Amino acid sequence: MADADEPMVVDGGSGRTCEWDGRWNHIKKFLERSGPFTHPDFEPSTESLQFMLETCKILVIGAGGLGCELLKDLALSGFRNIHVVDMDTIDVSNLNRQFLFRPTDVGRPKANVAADFVNNRIPGCYIILEFIYPSFIHLEFHIIVCGLDSIVARRWMNGMLLSLLVFEDGVLDPSSIIPLIDGGTEGFKGNARVILPGMTACIDCTLELYPPQINFPMCTIASMPRLPEHCIEYVRMLLWPKETPFGDGVVLDGDDPEHIQWVYQRSLERAADFNITGVTYRLTQGVVKRIIPAVASTNAVIAGKSAYIPLNNYMVFNDVDGLYTYTFEAERKENCSACSQVPLDLHFSPSSKLQEMLDHLTESASLQMKSPALTATVEGKNKTLYLQSVASIEQRTRPNLSKTLKELGLSDGQELAVADATTPQTMLFRLCFTS
């Protein structure tokens, strides 16, 4: 059993020869000759294949629908030193599109099963499992490829790569850059992008492209439901803990058919009371599990997109009505809270409540924080204004939320340090008082 914070190598047991004549002929065609779609600076070379086979170290984050395609494509393209991380386990609903898994794998860790499958199928490939995110900082990856369904995880990795950048006299050292290739799919839509941290637009520069997760107001759910989702959320959030249909302390399990059936039936009753249609079993499960629709063909297209520099740097794919794709250059924001290296201005009046600032940090399309913790230096002392993640500190700092910024001792031009789950780094903001 490997140590919890050590990478684990999963060896295949095929016993097959790793090389044979002509194995890499298809790869050599675009590595050892030029062409109309190559970058002007591209120099054909026999050394590129050897670099891929023997040296290049790639980290794949996510072994789900997109991750399975990525692992397959990378391994078949000649990359052998592949690290993979995924904290999720295999569910029955994954099997229709995550082709590295079988019914007998349900309940097992995705990363383990995916590594076993690829290593046994593709001679010479050795996939290494990574268990914890902090270990990434000690490994020198050449490329990081993301196949995630979480914006928070994307932003965390974005922040980690930015934290590894080295500046000498204010000039970025190119050797400290680890390129990030990110992809995402939802139904028949998808996107792929290339990020050079510190040089091109990062994840947070284009955060507006990722819509915030929909959360319905409690007053709407409880008193004025208009959508079938409102009825389902009412049962999930209010009726389940109140009626405890399966016993005290039993948590609603989105994978338990009996649990979903109960929620479905009660949601139908709720919908009937308000003349709302559209509540189905499938929708109920989707709302409870926060399911993002996935299509296998979309995953295959996005995973198979070549990351040519002319992409520069964002590709959108849509096959809802026919086939439509286009590329554009996402531009770096000068005041990006993650990569700009300068504090972001926050404009509030001295009479604004701290709660208003907290709401701005979580609801702003350009910030979308989850549970920001705010600290500032007041009268020469470091002061925690609000911290939600630790219950005892949250209770002690909660009264600050109803106080004005002036009452908290904050002043115009004051620097605020904000920590959040979306980034490993503490972000700096500058308070600008408005009249």
Side-chain angles (χ1 to χ4, degrees):
M1 188 71 179
D3 189 73
D5 58 358
E6 291 293 328
M8 181 174 73
V9 179
V10 182
D11 295 325
S14 62
R16 289 175 286 169
T17 304
C18 291
E19 302 294 344
W20 56 85
D21 289 342
R23 178 176 182 184
W24 304 112
N25 284 350
H26 61 301
I27 302 296
K28 291 179 180 178
K29 287 180 180 178
F30 64 83
L31 290 179
E32 298 181 4
R33 65 182 187 180
S34 188
F37 298 107
T38 58
H39 191 270
D41 296 334
F42 172 72
E43 296 182 4
S45 170
T46 58
E47 298 176 357
S48 298
L49 179 59
Q50 291 307 116
F51 172 75
M52 290 168 58
L53 293 173
E54 301 172 3
T55 306
C56 188
K57 183 185 293 185
I58 292 184
L59 173 64
V60 176
I61 306 177
L66 193 54
C68 284
E69 294 282 355
L70 289 167
L71 290 169
K72 176 260 294 179
D73 289 348
L74 290 168
L76 289 174
S77 297
F79 294 98
R80 289 174 165 172
N81 193 348
I82 303 172
H83 295 233
V84 61
V85 61
D86 193 308
M87 304 302 180
D88 200 6
T89 56
I90 299 166
D91 180 68
V92 173
S93 63
N94 302 147
L95 301 180
N96 70 325
R97 64 194 181 279
Q98 298 176 23
F99 59 90
L100 300 182
F101 311 141
R102 300 294 180 267
T104 53
D105 298 322
V106 172
R108 294 184 60 197
K110 287 184 177 181
N112 296 60
V113 177
D116 279 335
F117 191 103
V118 175
N119 287 338
N120 281 309
R121 180 63 69 90
I122 303 177
C125 185
Y126 297 96
I127 300 230
I128 299 174
L129 305 182
E130 292 296 335
F131 291 95
I132 54 175
Y133 281 108
S135 65
F136 299 162
I137 200 168
H138 303 298
L139 301 173
E140 296 179 354
F141 293 105
H142 295 92
I143 304 172
I144 292 179
V145 186
C146 285
L148 294 162
D149 59 3
S150 166
I151 297 174
V152 173
R154 279 189 177 92
R155 296 177 66 186
W156 194 96
M157 179 49 60
N158 180 69
M160 175 59 74
L161 296 182
L162 290 171
S163 72
L164 297 177
L165 297 178
V166 175
F167 293 86
E168 296 180 2
D169 297 326
V171 179
L172 176 62
D173 180 0
S175 66
S176 66
I177 298 174
I178 302 177
L180 172 66
I181 302 176
D182 178 55
T185 66
E186 182 173 333
F188 291 99
K189 303 175 184 178
N191 67 81
R193 64 185 300 185
V194 177
I195 297 173
L196 301 178
M199 293 182 63
T200 64
C202 74
I203 295 290
D204 281 46
C205 285
T206 56
L207 202 55
E208 292 90 344
L209 296 176
Y210 303 97
Q213 180 176 307
I214 298 175
N215 292 305
F216 302 111
M218 182 60 69
C219 59
T220 300
I221 294 172
S223 305
M224 298 175 293
R226 299 183 302 277
L227 302 173
E229 290 86 351
H230 293 162
C231 302
I232 299 168
E233 285 286 80
Y234 175 83
V235 177
R236 183 184 73 87
M237 299 178 63
L238 300 176
L239 288 192
W240 181 276
K242 179 181 178 181
E243 298 187 8
T244 59
F246 293 87
D248 291 338
V250 177
V251 178
L252 176 57
D253 184 356
D255 295 315
D256 189 322
E258 293 185 2
H259 288 196
I260 296 298
Q261 185 64 30
W262 186 89
V263 175
Y264 170 53
Q265 291 298 334
R266 298 309 301 270
S267 299
L268 281 175
E269 297 170 8
R270 175 76 172 174
D273 291 340
F274 289 88
N275 296 316
I276 296 173
T277 60
V279 174
T280 64
Y281 183 92
R282 184 175 182 179
L283 178 64
T284 301
Q285 189 173 43
V287 172
V288 170
K289 295 183 65 176
R290 295 289 195 263
I291 291 176
I292 299 174
V295 176
S297 58
T298 309
N299 289 331
V301 169
I302 296 302
K305 284 293 177 183
S306 299
Y308 285 107
I309 291 181
L311 171 63
N312 195 28
N313 49 33
Y314 202 109
M315 186 279 297
V316 176
F317 170 80
N318 188 336
D319 62 344
V320 175
D321 299 306
L323 184 63
Y324 175 68
T325 182
Y326 71 96
T327 63
F328 66 91
E329 181 180 0
E331 295 185 358
R332 195 175 172 196
K333 288 176 64 174
E334 293 183 1
N335 62 341
C336 173
S337 60
C339 71
S340 66
Q341 304 291 314
V342 295
L344 187 65
D345 290 344
L346 290 175
H347 297 275
F348 288 94
S349 71
S351 60
S352 298
K353 304 289 179 66
L354 185 64
Q355 180 67 61
E356 296 176 48
M357 181 182 293
L358 193 73
D359 292 340
H360 173 74
L361 294 174
T362 56
E363 297 173 5
S364 168
S366 62
L367 296 173
Q368 296 187 39
M369 296 186 182
K370 297 302 174 182
S371 54
L374 293 83
T375 59
T377 301
V378 180
E379 297 180 353
K381 296 181 179 180
N382 190 46
K383 180 179 181 180
T384 299
L385 302 176
Y386 184 70
L387 193 151
Q388 185 176 344
S389 57
V390 181
S392 59
I393 301 179
E394 193 282 332
Q395 185 177 11
R396 181 163 53 85
T397 57
R398 191 184 309 161
N400 289 342
L401 295 176
S402 59
K403 295 180 179 180
T404 66
L405 303 182
K406 184 177 181 180
E407 289 173 338
L408 291 170
L410 302 181
S411 57
D412 187 42
Q414 175 99 48
E415 277 202 353
L416 301 174
V418 181
D420 189 63
T422 56
T423 176
Q425 302 185 92
T426 298
M427 291 171 284
L428 292 179
F429 293 85
R430 181 173 56 197
L431 181 59
C432 299
F433 277 160
T434 58
S435 56

